[in-house]
Amino acid sequence: MKALRAIGGWFANYPLFVSTLIIGLVAGHYALSQKFPELNVAAALADAPVADPSDTLMSLALGVAGVSAMVGGFAGVVVVFGLGSENDRFRLLRRKGSHRLRANWISVVLSSLTGAFVAVISAVMIVGFGAEPGLWVLEACFLLTTHGAVRLTALLAGLTGIVDSQDEDAEQKANTIATKGLIPTNGRVPDAK
C-alpha cells in the first residue's frame, strides 16, 4: 500500500515524468505494431472504408486540436483562479505546494497547448506524408491532452475543496453569537425578571 501511494505521488507531483511516459508508450505501441500488425490502429484507420480517408483523418486531427485548445483555455481559467485568490487558504496552498504545484499548473496549460499545436502538425502530416505517420503523432497529442484534462480535473477538485472549507468557515462565523457584553464583567449573571 505504501508503494502504491508513493507511485501515485510520483504521478501526481511530476507531470513531466507522465508526459515523457506517454511519449514512451506511443513509441512502444509503434514498435509493437511493427511486429504485430493487428495492433497498428493507425494503419487500420488509414485503410478505413470511407470515400476519402485522408480528409476524414485530417478532420479527426483538427477535432483533437480543438479539444486540446478548449482544455488549454479551461486550464488557464483554473490556474488564474488558483493564483489570483487572496484568501489565506490559497496563500497557504501556494506556499506549501511550492514548485510541485507550479509544475502541475504549468503542465495542464502546456500539455493542452502542445496537444493543440502538434495535432495541427499531425493534420498537415496526414495530408503531406500519408495517414500513418500523422496518426502516430495524433495518438501522442490525444494522450497528452487527456493527461492535461485529468490533471486539470484533479487540480480543480483540490481548489473547490479549499473554497468549500472557506465557505464553511464563513458560515460558522456568521452563525456564531458574540458573547461579549452578555455576561457582566463582575462575573455575576443578572437575575431573570
Side-chain angles (χ1 to χ4, degrees):
M1 190 65 156
K2 197 174 191 180
L4 285 176
R5 196 170 294 149
I7 291 170
W10 187 264
F11 276 87
N13 291 320
Y14 296 95
L16 182 60
F17 166 75
V18 177
S19 296
T20 305
L21 182 64
I22 287 170
I23 300 302
L25 287 173
V26 172
H29 182 204
Y30 173 76
L32 277 174
S33 73
Q34 299 307 303
K35 187 169 182 165
F36 303 103
E38 60 273 7
L39 295 177
N40 193 340
V41 178
L45 287 174
D47 296 335
V50 292
D52 186 5
S54 179
D55 187 46
T56 303
L57 297 175
M58 187 181 67
S59 297
L60 177 65
L62 293 176
V64 170
V67 170
S68 297
M70 183 178 66
V71 171
F74 184 58
V77 171
V78 171
V79 169
V80 168
F81 172 66
L83 291 175
S85 179
E86 291 300 320
N87 180 292
D88 289 337
R89 290 177 191 258
F90 279 99
R91 274 194 218 106
L92 180 64
L93 170 72
R94 290 189 297 260
R95 193 171 65 244
K96 295 280 187 186
S98 184
H99 62 281
R100 289 292 97 216
L101 183 60
R102 276 190 299 258
N104 273 283
W105 282 343
I106 291 169
S107 170
V108 294
V109 175
L110 189 60
S111 63
S112 301
L113 294 179
T114 300
F117 287 119
V118 179
V120 171
I121 292 170
S122 171
V124 171
M125 288 176 70
I126 289 169
V127 171
F129 302 106
E132 195 168 341
L135 285 173
W136 287 111
V137 172
L138 184 62
E139 181 179 332
C141 294
F142 177 76
L143 292 174
L144 285 172
T145 299
T146 302
H147 168 231
V150 169
R151 191 167 294 277
L152 176 63
T153 303
L155 286 169
L156 183 61
L159 293 177
T160 56
I162 292 172
V163 171
D164 285 345
S165 62
Q166 177 187 349
D167 289 346
E168 287 174 10
D169 288 351
E171 184 178 337
Q172 184 179 8
K173 186 176 180 181
N175 291 335
T176 302
I177 299 173
T179 57
K180 186 177 180 181
L182 292 179
I183 299 177
T185 54
N186 62 7
R188 292 183 34 209
V189 178
D191 295 332
K193 295 186 180 181

